[in-house]
């Protein structure tokens, strides 16, 4: 199970009985199980689905933490990335927006802290390295502060869903459900089952042409810490937060930070970011939408 996400596909194309003849592609990318369900003429859907591995390979080539030759791995290893690709610059821009919208709670520079907690090392030195504002970039170069490393685990899967959806839309498709660890819909409506790591199944959400991302701090532990980390050390307030937005990358990033935000702050975030819906599950298993 994906360590961040507790959405599952359920009766996709709720109002489209022709789903039974849809084509399906499944695979794995960025540490997540992936699945795309696409409707259309069989020959055309087969050709479109065959493009997906190449699209995902390109995204992993930019943002994988584990591929040693990815742009992100090279940036983390050397502290510099010259001539960043347009896709890299675009994701940094989206990270900037999420950082600003959440008052700094979305911060990709938590990677050294994540590694320290995962390996049982003292977190103090790693906490001192946190600070998205210390990352310098322009079209020619991205430069990290000494000792910094980045993780895009809170945004890259959403970006992958957006990329696949955009490719399918550019080819004229109007019905697809894309799950790259976060979900993007092309057309719809789709029913998506919502689950919580502690409370279990909690119902369904219906989406048409939008994207969903859920962050669940309790899905994985780093020693005594939840695996989703706030840059200022605060604890998660919610068992799970699901955000519906036009962009899966935006939903992904904001749901990562939203687990630390009180209800009033989440309502302000919904307005400021133009979100469609925020659904929270408290620690008692109670679900509500904002």
């Amino acid at each position: 199970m994906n360590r961040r996400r507790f959405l599952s596909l359920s009766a996709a194309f709720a109002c489209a009985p022709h789903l039974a003849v849809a084509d399906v592609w499944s695979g794995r990318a960025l540490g997540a199980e992936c699945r795309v369900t696409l409707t259309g003429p069989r020959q055309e859907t087969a050709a479109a689905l065959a493009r997906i591995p190449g699209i995902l390979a390109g995204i992993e080539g930019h943002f994988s933490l584990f591929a040693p030759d990815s742009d992100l791995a090279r940036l983390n290893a050397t502290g510099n990335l010259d001539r960043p690709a347009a896709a890299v610059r675009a994701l940094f821009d989206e990270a900037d927006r999420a950082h600003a919208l959440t008052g700094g709670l979305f911060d990709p520079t938590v990677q050294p802290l994540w590694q320290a907690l995962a390996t049982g090392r003292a977190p103090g030195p790693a906490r001192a390295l946190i600070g998205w504002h210390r990352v310098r970039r322009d079209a020619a170069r991205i430069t990290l502060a000494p000792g910094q490393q980045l993780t895009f685990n809170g945004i890259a899967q959403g970006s992958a869903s957006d990329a696949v959806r955009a490719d399918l839309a550019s080819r004229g498709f109007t019905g697809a459900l894309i799950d790259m660890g976060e979900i993007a819909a092309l057309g719809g409506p789709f029913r998506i089952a919502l689950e919580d790591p502690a409370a279990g199944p909690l119902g369904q959400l219906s989406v048409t042409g939008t994207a969903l991302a859920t962050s669940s701090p309790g899905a994985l532990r780093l020693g005594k810490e939840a695996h989703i980390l706030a840059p200022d050390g605060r604890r998660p307030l919610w068992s799970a937060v699901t955000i519906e937005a036009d962009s899966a990358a935006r939903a992904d990033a904001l749901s990562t930070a939203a687990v630390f935000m009180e209800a009033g702050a989440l309502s302000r975030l919904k307005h400021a970011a133009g979100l469609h819906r925020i659904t929270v599950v408290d620690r008692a298993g109670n679900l509500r939408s904002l």
Side-chain angles (χ1 to χ4, degrees), residues 146-205:
Q148 282 191 318
Q149 291 187 338
L150 306 183
T151 173
F152 286 119
N153 280 358
I155 190 172
Q157 290 177 352
S159 177
S161 292
D162 287 336
V164 172
R165 178 173 60 177
D167 185 74
L168 295 175
S170 74
R171 296 173 188 284
F173 292 99
T174 59
L177 192 60
I178 299 106
D179 178 7
M180 299 291 150
E182 313 301 345
I183 292 170
L186 183 60
F190 301 89
R191 287 196 298 268
I192 311 297
L194 179 64
E195 301 179 16
D196 178 76
L202 294 171
Q204 295 182 337
L205 301 176

Side-chain angles (χ1 to χ4, degrees), residues 120-135:
R121 290 183 281 117
R127 289 189 189 280
L129 301 174
I130 293 173
W132 181 248
H133 64 283
R134 298 166 62 195
V135 178

Side-chain angles (χ1 to χ4, degrees), residues 39-289:
T39 60
R42 183 55 55 92
Q43 185 173 356
E44 295 179 15
T45 59
L49 293 176
R51 290 175 48 82
I52 292 175
I55 295 171
L56 298 182
I59 293 170
E60 287 197 310
H62 294 313
F63 305 120
S64 172
L65 275 171
F66 305 108
D69 58 347
S70 75
D71 292 339
L72 179 58
R74 290 187 290 112
L75 174 62
N76 283 345
T78 67
N80 295 286
L81 182 65
D82 291 327
R83 297 181 296 279
V88 174
R89 298 197 304 272
L91 200 68
F92 270 77
D93 287 343
E94 188 63 44
D96 267 343
R97 287 189 285 270
H99 183 77
L101 284 166
T102 61
L105 286 174
F106 179 78
D107 192 321
T109 65
V110 298
Q111 175 62 9
L113 177 58
W114 205 100
Q115 290 181 318
L117 293 171
T119 57
R121 290 183 281 117
R127 289 189 189 280
L129 301 174
I130 293 173
W132 181 248
H133 64 283
R134 298 166 62 195
V135 178
R136 304 301 179 201
R137 65 188 181 95
D138 55 31
R141 170 175 278 203
I142 299 170
T143 301
L144 306 182
Q148 282 191 318
Q149 291 187 338
L150 306 183
T151 173
F152 286 119
N153 280 358
I155 190 172
Q157 290 177 352
S159 177
S161 292
D162 287 336
V164 172
R165 178 173 60 177
D167 185 74
L168 295 175
S170 74
R171 296 173 188 284
F173 292 99
T174 59
L177 192 60
I178 299 106
D179 178 7
M180 299 291 150
E182 313 301 345
I183 292 170
L186 183 60
F190 301 89
R191 287 196 298 268
I192 311 297
L194 179 64
E195 301 179 16
D196 178 76
L202 294 171
Q204 295 182 337
L205 301 176
S206 178
V207 297
T208 301
T210 56
L212 288 175
T214 292
S215 289
S216 305
L220 181 69
R221 306 294 299 182
L222 300 175
K224 297 181 179 180
E225 301 282 344
H227 74 277
I228 301 177
L229 303 174
D232 60 4
R234 72 180 71 182
R235 306 290 186 182
L237 300 176
W238 306 101
S239 182
V241 177
T242 298
I243 286 183
E244 181 182 357
D246 292 328
S247 157
R250 177 71 56 91
D252 195 3
L254 295 183
S255 71
T256 302
V259 300
F260 304 106
M261 302 173 72
E262 296 180 349
L266 289 177
S267 295
R268 293 189 291 274
L269 175 66
K270 180 183 176 184
H271 176 75
L275 305 176
H276 295 275
R277 176 169 43 186
I278 300 178
T279 303
V280 298
V281 181
D282 66 23
R283 293 181 178 178
N286 301 305
L287 181 148
R288 60 173 163 149
S289 289

